């Protein structure tokens, strides 16, 4: 078991620096990943928020799409936030026709789902597996999860009304799904890297320590 695991942040686009800071605060060594050799060296990967259509395009331009997909298939622990959640889904609604995702988690994610009511909002939520105070979750043009497949654990929902008065925000069985885990994959609709609370990153660092995926030799 690696005590201080090396965790990469996919650094083609998006919210890279904040994730690196949060990972370091959570006890990991954080490195940016822009090429395959850097990917090979990590024991876990964060796919940050940003814009999933652009990220999908850049992954292909930088010849990183297939290498990342292969590592995920081989069980590399991964945490996707917001656009990163979209990148992990096996079905994306309201996406662009040419947008690709890794299909690492059997789930249907709707892009900009809350955005039809309100672009950004913050709310306190409980997250299964995270002890203590509720977590202040920041949503920015966020997706939500509309379907989870077998083996996907729902970790958090946004309670009805939290995304303002918009119809449908929290109607489904106690709210919209905004955090899931499936094996070594974690995904959140919100951005834990923009708050000083490192508990979601600590949870992920714990997943990486437990998985002990090791770098590619
Ligand atoms: N709406 C963006 C997308 O579709 C995600 C927004 C974000 O990551 N903050 O990729």
């Amino acid at each position: 078991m690696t005590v201080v695991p090396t965790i990469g942040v996919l650094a083609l686009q998006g919210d890279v620096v904040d994730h690196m800071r949060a990972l370091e605060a959570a006890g990991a060594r954080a490195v940016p990943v822009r090429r395959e050799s850097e990917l090979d060296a990590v024991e876990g990967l964060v796919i940050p928020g940003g814009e999933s259509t652009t990220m999908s395009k850049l992954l292909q331009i930088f010849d990183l799409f297939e290498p990342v997909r292969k590592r995920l298939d081989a069980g590399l622990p991964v945490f996707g936030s917001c656009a990163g959640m979209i990148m992990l889904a096996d079905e994306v609604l309201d996406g662009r026709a040419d947008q690709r995702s890794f299909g690492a988690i059997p789930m249907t994610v709707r892009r900009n789902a809350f955005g039809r009511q309100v672009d950004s909002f913050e709310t306190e939520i409980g997250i299964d597996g995270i002890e203590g105070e509720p977590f202040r979750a920041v949503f920015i043009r966020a997706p939500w999860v509309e379907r989870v497949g077998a083996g996907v654990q729902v970790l958090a929902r946004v309670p009805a009304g939290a995304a303002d008065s918009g119809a449908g925000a929290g109607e489904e069985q106690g709210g919209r799904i905004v955090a899931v885990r499936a094996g070594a994959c974690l995904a959140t609709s919100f951005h834990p890297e923009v708050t000083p609370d490192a508990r979601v990153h600590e949870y992920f660092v714990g997943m990486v320590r437990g998985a002990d995926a090791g770098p590619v030799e």
Side-chain angles (χ1 to χ4, degrees), residues 49-52 82-83 86 111-112 140-141 191:
E51 181 50 58
S52 56
C82 205
I86 297 167
R111 281 183 70 221
N112 303 331
I140 305 165
R141 291 172 54 74
H191 289 266

Side-chain angles (χ1 to χ4, degrees), residues 3 5 7-9 15-30 44-49 77-82 127 129-130 135-136 155 186 188 190-209:
V3 180
I7 300 184
V9 180
D15 211 1
V16 177
V17 174
D18 285 335
H19 272 292
M20 291 187 55
R21 183 196 40 74
L23 286 168
E24 300 265 346
R29 192 171 81 88
L45 182 69
V46 170
I47 305 181
V78 65
F79 168 34
S81 67
C82 205
I127 305 175
I130 292 184
F135 195 88
R136 182 127 201 106
L155 300 182
L186 175 70
T188 64
F190 52 92
H191 289 266
E193 74 283 4
V194 303
T195 54
D197 188 340
R199 285 178 294 163
V200 172
H201 289 81
E202 281 164 9
Y203 179 93
F204 180 59
V205 172
M207 283 171 58
V208 175
R209 286 201 183 104

Side-chain angles (χ1 to χ4, degrees), residues 16 26 45 57 60-61 64 69 73 81 83 86 88 94 106 111 114 135 149 151 155 182 189 191 193 204 212 214 216:
V16 177
L45 182 69
K57 215 177 287 168
Q60 292 170 79
I61 291 170
L64 263 180
R69 199 182 53 74
D73 282 354
S81 67
I86 297 167
L88 292 177
D94 292 342
R111 281 183 70 221
F114 292 102
F135 195 88
L155 300 182
S189 302
H191 289 266
E193 74 283 4
F204 180 59
D212 206 9
V216 171

Side-chain angles (χ1 to χ4, degrees), residues 114 117-118 120-125 136-137 139 157-166 168-171 174-176 178:
F114 292 102
Q117 297 145 39
V118 53
S120 304
F121 65 99
E122 299 185 22
T123 190
E124 312 263 317
I125 57 171
R136 182 127 201 106
F139 295 81
R157 293 172 188 267
V158 163
D164 229 335
S165 56
E171 278 169 358
R176 293 293 181 181
V178 294

